[in-house]
Every structure is written in structure tokens, then in C-alpha cells.
């Protein structure tokens, strides 16, 4: 049975099952485009269905690590091409002619003046055995690679019709009183003044459940809680000093050398949709609705306690690594099991900002020897940072750091040394993970060296990777104005170059050239790069998370200066054609954009970007 494409013999409706969650990156559209290309039908004729968590049927369903298109493009296209092939085969058998004499397009298989619809052939095609399934070659693409294709859910998004996790109906809405300082645990509560709500004490907080969000939030405000333990005196300035002291000794370059220090701050994910999940539990059965990035992982986790598990991924209003975690999901399941009702757990903006799993703080010391041209000839990069504490079961943090050391682009010998220190706060995956720190520091250092060449020329003199040189030259050709800041990055089988400058009217202009191999969904490529650039605008403007007296200081967009519409620079994204395999994208552009904008904003006046 084809898990990705099916044709209803009664209605003729073609349904596409999207195996991984869509967190805003446009995977539903890209998958629909793949199927439309191979079936030779319009995208708008397809019905889109989101797969439930089921790794056995769909394979890995994690929407993370910028590898969704790399994983999906071949199996999805092959599934659709197989259906097309079987339809042709069924029609050829009806006509008793060779399959080569038939033509299938726009929902019909034709032979001479005769034709059958896909609907008419679906029943006969289903039991046939496919042979010689061939994917549509790129030079024949009509849908894939077409920048005019719109998102399949675009109208529903802009009109408010698209249902997100927060729209899921529930008997009860739960908000949770969370620790007032880092690491605290609840010891009790007083419910005097609390109306129309049920109180449930959890291990890490106290849940308040009511018939609607407004009542639950108001009841939580009237709740009197007591807490103990943790670190009420925690201070991020002290954490920074500890990381600075922990910097590895590294090696001193031979002769005279240049040394610079960079600090990359803690960052919150701050998706527009805070975490939320809805669960219902009946005996040994659980059904969950959540904007999770890993429905298969969640299902496996819940199967430890339940015999029957359904995990239904909802459309996510942004994720960036935040919804790879399962804490908010487990809260909904625990409260549904306790109450025997359908419970929706809702995190407010303040909840998520102050109780996130943050991008780790890091300190970078880079030293380099330079030659007579001012070009680096040997470098030493020392890093002290924290591991990804929320994902220790998923990955080896030192291994990730070493992977980042191996991503250095330029023909400069050197070494990278790491100190992975115990995290004093919960940390986790944030867009581009450690590349957003290490690559940022390396590119900033290269920009700040007192060279005799401009930013573009100095990199071209040091680059040996032809793909990186190609995108850098493409960005330079498309950039109108002086390239005051330049940065490059190579990851996920893709490459990007970012050039930033200032227009005469003072507005920032950014040109990004990207090579992702075949650009299956070109408008989606541009949107992903633009989104990464806007994240970089935010960090260049000083967005960060700080801790004072045991508490995260920032609690909303009012004091967390993420970029607004008015902060948007002029952005030009150039999609460079390539013969490379399909590459990843979602996390690719941020490190280079952050470095280019960081240098443009701070220049040589401040190499220690605290």
C-alpha cells in the first residue's frame, strides 16, 4: 500500500499524506509539488493530509536538522511516480497496447482519441506490480522548481481559517504556575480566592484547570504558591565569567598574532505560537494533538505507558527547535489522565520566554597569525559553552562541536578546542545549533582582521570550495552597492553567502545567494533564507536572554527586542542553480547572516559582542 498517495475510486480525489510536521517551513507545499510533478496534475487539485505519528509506516518523522527535503524528496516522488506508472499500465491493458503508446497528464491517460480518467483506472491500477518507475527529469519539470507555485495553505493562513494547536477543542484548559526562580520545586499552594478552577500539583509546577483560558489564567493569578530549592541567586553575568575562565588554553600561534574575544548570548526560541498540547486518556488509550516536531518520538515515549497511542501533529506556528521537546506534551497527558477529561495545556508568552530551553551562552577566543598581505595563515579557536541539556539522549554534544570545527571554510590551518561546561539553566536546540555561534565567531574574526583587501576579495583569496566561491560571486554580482560585510557558510549539503551594506537612505541592504542543489520549491527557499536573515537582524540588534536574581529577565516581546516589520532590511535572495544533490536549508543562512549583520552593526569598534 502506498502510504503517501492515494486515489479515491469513488470521487477521484487524490490525497497526499505529508509524513512530517509543518512548522512553517512549507513542507506541505513542497510534498504536494513533488506529487503533482510526478502525477502530472495541478497542485491545487490535491487534498493534503497530515500523517499521524507512525514511524513504521512513514519512516523517521522528525522535522529538524534541515534534512526534511533531503529525506523526503526521493521516497515521495517515487511513490507518486509509481502511481502514475500503474495508471498508465492499467490503461494500456484496457486498450491492449504498449504503455509507451499512452500519455498521462492532467488527470487522464490518453491513447489517440481515447482517454480514461485517473478515477476510472484507480481500482484496476492498485493491485498491479510496478516496473521501471522513472522520476521526471529536471529539464522536464513543470511544478518542481516553479517559483510561481503558492503555498497550499496560504489562503487559510492569511484568512485565519487554518487550525493550529491552540484551536483544538477541550473540556478543560490548563495553565501552570511555574518556578519563580531557576530550579525551584513547588512545596504547596493556597487556593483562597481561586474560583471555578481545579488545582493539581505537579512535580515542576502547579496546574490550574478551568473551562476556558481566561478563567484558568485569572485563577492562576490568585493562586498562592510556595517553592524551595533551585538557585534564587543565579546571575547570567556570573555564568559568563565562569565560561570565560573555562576557556581552553589552546595553542599560541607562531610569531606575532591577532587575538579577539566573542560572546554569543543565550537566546529564546520565541515562536509566535507558544507550546500547547491537548490530550485525552481513556484507560490504556491516549490521543494527543500537538505541534510537535517529532510525532514518532512522542509516540514511542507514550507507548511506554499506554497500549494504544495516537499522536496527531497540528500545524505549528513556528518551532525553531522548541517543539522538538516533549515537556508540554507530557503535561497535557498527565492532566488528562488525572481528570479523565480532554485537557489542553496552554503556555502563555511569559511562560515560554521565562521557562524555555535556551540557546547556550558561549565564549570564543580566536587567535591568528597573518602574512604580509594581512591574510591569516594559522588560527586557534577556543570555545567554552554548555551542552544541549534537553537533548542529551539524542546527541553527543562534544561530537556536535567537533562537527562544527570541521565546517571551517577557508584554506587556513588551525585547531579548535572545546570546554563543555555544566549548564546552570535548561538548554536546547536553537536554529542552526552551534553553527550560529562558532561560524559567527569565525566569520566575525575574518571580517575584523586589518587586511589590505575588501571583505569580498579577502574571502575569495582564502576559499577553495568551488560551490562556496560560486555563491559568493553570485551574491556579489547581484548586490548593488559596496559589500561592507560578507560571510559564508556550508552545511546540510548546501552553501550560502551573505553580503550586507547600507543604502544611501540609511536602510540596510542584504543580498544572499544560496545553492541547495535542485531548488524544489524556490519560493520556499527564499522564504527560509528571509526568515533566517530576520533572526539575524534580531540578534544583531541585541536580542538576548539574561538572568538576574534567579529569574529570566525577559518575559515578552516588550522587553525581548525581536525584529519588527519596520526593522526589515531590503533583502534579495538569489537561488543559484546547481548539479549537487538536494540539500537542507532551514538552518543554513542564519550563521552567515548573523556574522554579516553583526559586523555591519558593530564593525571594528566592538569585537566582544556582549
Amino acid at each position: 500500500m502506498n502510504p503517501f498517495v492515494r486515489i479515491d475510486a469513488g470521487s477521484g480525489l487524490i490525497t497526499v499524506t505529508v509524513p512530517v510536521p509543518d512548522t512553517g517551513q512549507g513542507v506541505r507545499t513542497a510534498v504536494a509539488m513533488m506529487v503533482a510533478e510526478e502525477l502530472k496534475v495541478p497542485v491545487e487539485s490535491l487534498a493534503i493530509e497530515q500523517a499521524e505519528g507512525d514511524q513504521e509506516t512513514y519512516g523517521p518523522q522528525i522535522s529538524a536538522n534541515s534534512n526534511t527535503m533531503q529525506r523526503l524528496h526521493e521516497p515521495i516522488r517515487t511513490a507518486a511516480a509509481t502511481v502514475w506508472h500503474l495508471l498508465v499500465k492499467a490503461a494500456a491493458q484496457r486498450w491492449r497496447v504498449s504503455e509507451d503508446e499512452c500519455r498521462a497528464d492532467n488527470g487522464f491517460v490518453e491513447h489517440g482519441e481515447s482517454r480514461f480518467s485517473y478515477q476510472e483506472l484507480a481500482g484496476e491500477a492498485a493491485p498491479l506490480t510496478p516496473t521501471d518507475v522513472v522520476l521526471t527529469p529536471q529539464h522536464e519539470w513543470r511544478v518542481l522548481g516553479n517559483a510561481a507555485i503558492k503555498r497550499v495553505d496560504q489562503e487559510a493562513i492569511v484568512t485565519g481559517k487554518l487550525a493550529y494547536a491552540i484551536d483544538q477543542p477541550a473540556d478543560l484548559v490548563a495553565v501552570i504556575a511555574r518556578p519563580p526562580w531557576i530550579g525551584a520545586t513547588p512545596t504547596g499552594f493556597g487556593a483562597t480566592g481561586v474560583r471555578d478552577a481545579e488545582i493539581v500539583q505537579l512535580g515542576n509546577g502547579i496546574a490550574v484547570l478551568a473551562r476556558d483560558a481566561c478563567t484558568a489564567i485569572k485563577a492562576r493569578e490568585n493562586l498562592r504558591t510556595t517553592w524551595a530549592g533551585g538557585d534564587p541567586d543565579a546571575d547570567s553575568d556570573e555564568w559568563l565569567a565562569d565560561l570565560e575562565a573555562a576557556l581552553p588554553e589552546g595553542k599560541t600561534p607562531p610569531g606575532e598574532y591577532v587575538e579577539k574575544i566573542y560572546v554569543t548570548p543565550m537566546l529564546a526560541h520565541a515562536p509566535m505560537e507558544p507550546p500547547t498540547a491537548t490530550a485525552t486518556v481513556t484507560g490504556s488509550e491516549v490521543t494527543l494533538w500537538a505541534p510537535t516536531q517529532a510525532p514518532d518520538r512522542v509516540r514511542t515515549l507514550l507507548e511506554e505507558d499506554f497500549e494504544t497511542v495516537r499522536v496527531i501533529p497540528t500545524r505549528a506556528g513556528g518551532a525553531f527547535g522548541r517543539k522538538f521537546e516533549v515537556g508540554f506534551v507530557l503535561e497535557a497527558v498527565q492532566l488528562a489522565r488525572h481528570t479523565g477529561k480532554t485537557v489542553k495545556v496552554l503556555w502563555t508568552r511569559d511562560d515560554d520566554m521565562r521557562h524555555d530551553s535556551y540557546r547556550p551562552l558561549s565564549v570564543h577566543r580566536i587567535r591568528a597569525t597573518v602574512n604580509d598581505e594581512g591574510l591569516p595563515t594559522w588560527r586557534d579557536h577556543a570555545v567554552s559553552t554548555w551542552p544541549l541539556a534537553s537533548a542529551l539522549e539524542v546527541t553527543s554534544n562534544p561530537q556536535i562541536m567537533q562537527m562544527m570545527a570541521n565546517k571551517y571554510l577557508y584554506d587556513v590551518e588551525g585547531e579548535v578546542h572545546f570546554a563543555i561546561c555544566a549548564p546552570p539553566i535548561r538548554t536546547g536546540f536553537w536554529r542552526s545549533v552551534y553553527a550560529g555561534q562558532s561560524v559567527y565567531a569565525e566569520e566575525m574574526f575574518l571580517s575584523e582582521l586589518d587586511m589590505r583587501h575588501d571583505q569580498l576579495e579577502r574571502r575569495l583569496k582564502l576559499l577553495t570550495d568551488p560551490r562556496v566561491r560560486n555563491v559568493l560571486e553570485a551574491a556579489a554580482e547581484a548586490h548593488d552597492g559596496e559589500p561592507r560585510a560578507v560571510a559564508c557558510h556550508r552545511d546540510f549539503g548546501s552553501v550560502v553567502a551573505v553580503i550586507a551594506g547600507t543604502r544611501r537612505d540609511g536602510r540596510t541592504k542584504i543580498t544572499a545567494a544560496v545553492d541547495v542543489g535542485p531548488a524544489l520549491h524556490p519560493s520556499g527557499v527564499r522564504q527560509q533564507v528571509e526568515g533566517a536573515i530576520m533572526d539575524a537582524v534580531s540578534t544583531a540588534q541585541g536580542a538576548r536572554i539574561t538572568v538576574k536574581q534567579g529569574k529570566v529577565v525577559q518575559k515578552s516581546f516588550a522587553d525581548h527586542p525581536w525584529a519588527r516589520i519596520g526593522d526589515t532590511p531590503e533583502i534579495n535572495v538569489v537561488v543559484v542553480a546547481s548539479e549537487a544533490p538536494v540539500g537542507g536549508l532551514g538552518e543554513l543562512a542564519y550563521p552567515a547572516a548573523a556574522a554579516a549583520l553583526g559586523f555591519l552593526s558593530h564593525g571594528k569598534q566592538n569585537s566582544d559582542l556582549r
Side-chain angles (χ1 to χ4, degrees):
M1 179 180 178
N2 190 322
F4 304 119
V5 185
R6 68 178 186 271
I7 301 176
D8 187 284
S11 65
L13 181 67
I14 303 174
T15 300
V16 178
T17 301
V18 181
V20 303
D22 195 323
T23 63
Q25 79 275 43
V27 65
R28 291 185 182 184
T29 302
V31 168
M33 290 174 69
M34 295 176 200
V35 173
E37 182 65 66
E38 300 302 337
L39 275 181
K40 309 294 188 292
V41 296
V43 171
E44 55 270 21
S45 70
L46 303 174
I48 312 300
E49 179 180 85
Q50 186 68 51
E52 295 185 13
D54 183 357
Q55 184 169 346
E56 184 176 343
T57 299
Y58 300 105
Q61 293 179 278
I62 293 176
S63 180
N65 200 33
S66 297
N67 63 14
T68 300
M69 288 300 99
Q70 291 173 298
R71 292 199 331 264
L72 292 185
H73 78 96
E74 186 171 339
I76 296 291
R77 291 182 62 198
T78 300
T82 299
V83 172
W84 182 89
H85 172 78
L86 294 179
L87 291 167
V88 172
K89 190 171 187 176
Q93 290 181 358
R94 277 198 185 190
W95 287 314
R96 298 182 181 180
V97 299
S98 168
E99 294 173 31
D100 294 338
E101 299 178 33
C102 303
R103 176 178 179 271
D105 193 19
N106 202 29
F108 293 90
V109 181
E110 300 176 348
H111 178 264
E113 297 297 320
S114 301
R115 69 176 188 173
F116 295 117
S117 68
Y118 289 179
Q119 177 183 355
E120 294 174 278
L121 297 167
E124 296 172 43
L128 298 179
T129 301
T131 56
D132 301 324
V133 174
V134 179
L135 302 183
T136 305
Q138 188 171 349
H139 68 272
E140 294 181 10
W141 284 357
R142 295 183 297 183
V143 179
L144 290 175
N146 187 342
I149 302 296
K150 298 179 180 179
R151 286 199 175 207
V152 295
D153 47 11
Q154 178 172 294
E155 181 180 349
I157 292 173
V158 299
T159 58
K161 296 177 182 177
L162 186 64
Y164 289 86
I166 199 170
D167 300 310
Q168 184 65 33
D171 300 322
L172 295 171
V173 175
V175 294
I176 297 173
R178 302 184 184 278
W181 62 83
I182 294 170
T185 55
T187 58
F189 62 89
T192 303
V194 174
R195 297 287 184 270
D196 303 318
E198 180 181 353
I199 314 299
V200 179
Q201 184 163 333
L202 306 175
N204 63 342
I206 299 173
V208 180
L209 301 95
R211 64 182 181 277
D212 57 60
C214 183
T215 302
I217 291 172
K218 188 172 182 179
R220 183 177 66 171
E221 292 172 352
N222 292 327
L223 191 67
R224 298 295 174 259
T225 58
T226 55
W227 304 81
D231 186 3
D233 299 318
D235 189 296
S236 53
D237 287 342
E238 294 179 5
W239 297 346
L240 176 57
D242 291 341
L243 286 177
E244 290 173 333
L247 271 172
E249 182 62 30
K251 291 187 178 180
T252 302
E256 294 185 1
Y257 61 89
V258 178
E259 176 179 307
K260 294 183 182 293
I261 300 289
Y262 301 93
V263 173
T264 61
M266 288 188 295
L267 294 173
H269 295 87
M272 291 305 296
E273 173 203 44
T276 183
T278 301
T280 184
V281 174
T282 304
S284 62
E285 299 181 4
V286 59
T287 301
L288 175 78
W289 297 264
T292 173
Q293 289 179 248
D296 51 348
R297 178 172 175 246
V298 170
R299 175 173 170 172
T300 299
L301 185 64
L302 293 179
E303 283 176 338
E304 296 177 5
D305 293 324
F306 297 94
E307 293 181 9
T308 304
V309 177
R310 291 185 65 196
V311 178
I312 304 172
T314 56
R315 180 66 157 77
F320 317 114
R322 178 68 176 98
K323 291 163 186 172
F324 180 72
E325 299 181 29
V326 298
F328 65 100
V329 166
L330 298 181
E331 289 171 347
V333 172
Q334 182 177 358
L335 291 171
R337 176 180 252 174
H338 175 82
T339 62
K341 298 180 179 180
T342 302
V343 175
K344 179 193 301 180
V345 167
L346 179 68
W347 287 54
T348 65
R349 174 63 57 200
D350 289 12
D351 290 339
D352 194 35
M353 196 72 76
R354 288 187 157 176
H355 303 278
D356 195 359
S357 55
Y358 304 97
R359 185 183 83 164
L361 187 65
S362 69
V363 180
H364 304 255
R365 184 193 64 234
I366 303 181
R367 298 166 173 162
T369 302
V370 297
N371 61 19
D372 293 341
E373 289 187 88
L375 296 172
T377 57
W378 196 92
R379 75 188 214 289
D380 184 88
H381 184 171
V383 184
S384 60
T385 187
W386 304 324
L388 305 177
S390 65
L392 287 176
E393 78 281 11
V394 177
T395 187
S396 165
N397 290 276
Q399 183 181 21
I400 285 184
M401 294 298 289
Q402 191 58 51
M403 288 169 57
M404 295 318 308
N406 296 336
K407 295 181 187 300
Y408 188 72
L409 290 173
Y410 304 100
D411 187 20
V412 181
E413 292 186 13
E415 297 183 12
V416 180
H417 311 274
F418 305 114
I420 310 296
C421 306
I425 195 170
R426 186 174 173 82
T427 56
F429 290 102
W430 193 93
R431 192 174 202 165
S432 81
V433 198
Y434 289 116
Q437 300 161 305
S438 292
V439 173
Y440 167 85
E442 294 277 15
E443 288 288 341
M444 282 289 290
F445 181 82
L446 189 57
S447 294
E448 291 188 320
L449 283 179
D450 187 14
M451 300 185 193
R452 299 170 190 175
H453 311 282
D454 65 25
Q455 295 288 338
L456 179 63
E457 185 181 4
R458 69 184 65 174
R459 282 170 172 78
L460 289 173
K461 283 181 173 287
L462 294 171
L463 281 169
T464 57
D465 186 326
R467 286 184 75 194
V468 183
R469 290 183 65 90
N470 191 35
V471 294
L472 182 54
E473 290 169 346
E477 182 178 352
H479 188 76
D480 181 19
E482 181 186 357
R484 292 184 54 202
V486 179
C488 306
H489 184 40
R490 175 182 59 202
D491 211 350
F492 312 109
S494 302
V495 293
V496 66
V498 177
I499 296 178
T502 304
R503 303 192 324 179
R504 291 181 181 179
D505 61 3
R507 187 182 179 194
T508 300
K509 175 181 175 62
I510 299 175
T511 302
V514 61
D515 171 2
V516 296
L520 305 177
H521 180 22
S523 62
V525 170
R526 291 187 172 88
Q527 290 161 6
Q528 288 274 50
V529 174
E530 290 168 352
I533 288 172
M534 291 308 297
D535 282 348
V537 169
S538 303
T539 54
Q541 291 181 169
R544 65 202 57 227
I545 291 296
T546 56
V547 173
K548 299 293 181 186
Q549 297 179 330
K551 302 177 183 179
V552 172
V553 174
Q554 294 75 21
K555 62 179 183 178
S556 71
F557 287 123
D559 52 14
H560 182 61
W562 216 247
R564 271 59 169 174
I565 292 176
D567 299 318
T568 306
E570 179 183 332
I571 302 174
N572 178 27
V573 179
V574 179
V575 182
V576 178
S578 171
E579 297 297 322
V582 172
L585 179 61
E587 300 170 277
L588 177 72
Y590 172 77
L597 285 164
F599 181 71
L600 186 68
S601 299
H602 302 277
K604 297 181 180 180
Q605 287 71 42
N606 184 8
S607 62
D608 183 358
L609 299 178
R610 300 176 187 228

